[in-house]
Structure formats: structure tokens, C-alpha cells
Amino acid sequence: AQKITQTQPGMFVQEKEAVTLDCTYDTSDPSYGLFWYKQPSSGEMIFLIYQGSYDQQNATEGRYSLNFQKARKSANLVISASQLGDSAMYFCAMREDNQGGKLIFGQGTELSVKP
Amino acid sequence: NAGVTQTPKFRVLKTGQSMTLLCAQDMNHEYMYWYRQDPGMGLRLIHYSVGEGTTAKGEVPDGYNVSRLKKQNFLLGLESAAPSQTSVYFCASSYRGAKGTEAFFGQGTRLTVV
């Protein structure tokens, strides 16, 4: 069954340091996509990064990178050089490509960046 | 360019009342989704649609109904609201087929059932 798990309800990081947010998933579909979204206190959902199950390289978008370990079914988000504006909720999500577009999310991790 | 628009943005209902939340997108997306967000629970999928005239149940469909009569609109109905349906509701849409395309979200609807 399609499942996404984020085991860190809250994380703290010092400004300018790197932080890793964990995400594990479960699926029987060989073709799927993994997404990370940011939700600041204002409430909007902001897309950060995407990784496809067949992608050979880990995805990167600016300060965001996705540490994709397919055998372990993990898709951790790495934020380098944290900024105060990175304080927000972060959600991992998965869409199985052969299951009709169903997109499910994990429980989220609240990241707080300390000055 | 409006993107995904949810109506209304806030609503207070009495237990037992009914209401419909409207989601409209102007990006010609095939896929549309309704989620609810509760503290500590993340976003949970209520119902979704892969095209006009089709809908499917998500993770928490009980107490909700949906319709997708037009490609650009996805309606979420509460027939008899309960306090447990107090939540923030998000609509999202995305293209079909292109694997890398992300879902775009509306601004959310904060619903309180008293």
C-alpha cells in the first residue's frame, strides 16, 4: 500500500548550518515520484523539489537536494546553509505513476532555524 | 494568472448544516485533489479526480462527497457537518502523465463546525 512516513515532528538547526529532514515511503509501483513541499506560517504550499523513481541522479534545486536511496525507500531533504526564512513545516509526498494519480503526504516536520 | 482558487476562504457551520467548497483551476490540469490538514496529521487525501466526470476515494473520504462536472472545477460537499470536520481544506491540481510535474495548491479554506 502507498505510504509516506516522516518521523521527525520537529527539528532545530542553527542558521547557516545544513539540516536533513527524513522521509521514508512504501510502494509496490516501480514508477513513482517523490515531492517535497514547504508550508510557512502563512499557510501556502510551496513546491521545493521532485525525484522520479527512475532518475539516476539525486535531484537538486538551489540550496535543496534530495538524498534518494531507492533500496532503503528513503527520500530525505537536505537544506544547505539554513536561513531564518527556512523556518516552516515541510512535507514529503508521493505519487504512484500507475495508480491513477493518487498523491499522498507525510505528517510533516516543523523546522525551526535559530539565529 | 489565478492558478488554483478556493471558495470560500473561511466558514463557520453549525453541526448538521451542509455546504460546498469550490475549487477552480485555470491551468487545464487533469488531476485535482481535496485534502484536509489537521495539527500533527499532515495533509490527508479526501477525494481526488483524474479527469472530468471521474472521482475516487482517498484516505479519509467518509462524510464528504465530490463532483467534477467540468474539468476546471472540483467541488467538495459536506452533507451534514460534524465538529470532527473542523479543519483546513486544501485543493490542488496537476498535469497528468508528465512525471515531474508538481501539484499546485489553493490558499486553503478554514472551516469551523460548532
Side-chain angles (χ1 to χ4, degrees):
Chain A
Q2 189 181 9
K3 189 176 180 181
I4 286 272
T5 303
Q6 294 179 253
T7 57
Q8 305 155 312
M11 292 276 289
F12 288 93
V13 65
Q14 206 69 35
E15 191 178 9
K16 299 181 184 178
E17 291 185 350
V19 62
T20 298
L21 306 183
D22 295 341
C23 173
T24 58
Y25 62 91
D26 192 17
T27 178
S28 56
D29 192 334
S31 181
Y32 52 89
L34 296 157
F35 304 80
W36 277 92
Y37 283 83
K38 172 184 178 181
Q39 186 181 43
S41 58
S42 53
E44 72 264 35
M45 294 291 287
I46 301 168
F47 166 71
L48 296 177
I49 196 166
Y50 164 84
Q51 179 83 42
S53 59
Y54 291 118
D55 293 343
Q56 296 296 314
Q57 305 277 348
N58 285 345
T60 60
E61 289 288 346
R63 293 186 300 111
Y64 303 108
S65 60
L66 202 152
N67 183 2
F68 181 46
Q69 298 190 41
K70 195 169 181 177
R72 294 185 178 183
K73 293 188 174 179
S74 73
N76 299 339
L77 178 70
V78 180
I79 305 175
S80 63
S82 297
Q83 302 172 355
L84 296 178
D86 293 335
S87 293
M89 285 291 291
Y90 289 81
F91 292 99
C92 181
M94 176 173 66
R95 183 170 60 215
E96 295 173 328
D97 295 327
N98 296 318
Q99 297 298 325
K102 189 176 180 181
L103 176 66
I104 65 166
F105 283 76
Q107 305 93 316
T109 295
E110 184 172 10
L111 178 67
S112 298
V113 180
K114 294 182 175 181
Chain B
N1 193 355
V4 180
T5 303
Q6 292 181 230
T7 310
K9 293 190 171 38
F10 302 92
R11 185 73 185 268
V12 178
L13 280 181
K14 293 183 179 179
T15 297
Q17 285 185 322
S18 63
M19 79 164 293
T20 299
L21 282 68
L22 171 64
C23 177
Q25 53 95 4
D26 61 2
M27 296 173 282
N28 202 34
H29 286 166
E30 291 85 3
Y31 292 168
M32 295 189 76
Y33 308 89
W34 274 109
Y35 296 91
R36 60 177 290 172
Q37 183 177 21
D38 303 292
M41 305 292 286
L43 277 78
R44 292 182 292 170
L45 181 64
I46 304 171
H47 287 280
Y48 65 105
S49 169
V50 300
E52 183 178 324
T54 69
T55 62
K57 293 181 179 180
E59 302 168 287
V60 288
D62 294 343
Y64 305 95
N65 56 76
V66 289
S67 64
R68 182 109 181 259
L69 299 180
K70 294 183 178 180
K71 186 177 184 179
Q72 63 268 34
N73 295 337
F74 195 28
L75 279 64
L76 178 70
L78 287 73
E79 290 187 348
S80 179
S84 61
Q85 294 177 305
T86 293
S87 189
V88 179
Y89 291 85
F90 283 97
C91 176
S93 69
S94 71
Y95 286 114
R96 175 180 183 175
K99 294 182 171 61
T101 54
E102 73 273 24
F104 293 81
F105 281 79
Q107 292 301 304
T109 295
R110 185 172 295 275
L111 175 65
T112 302
V113 183
V114 297

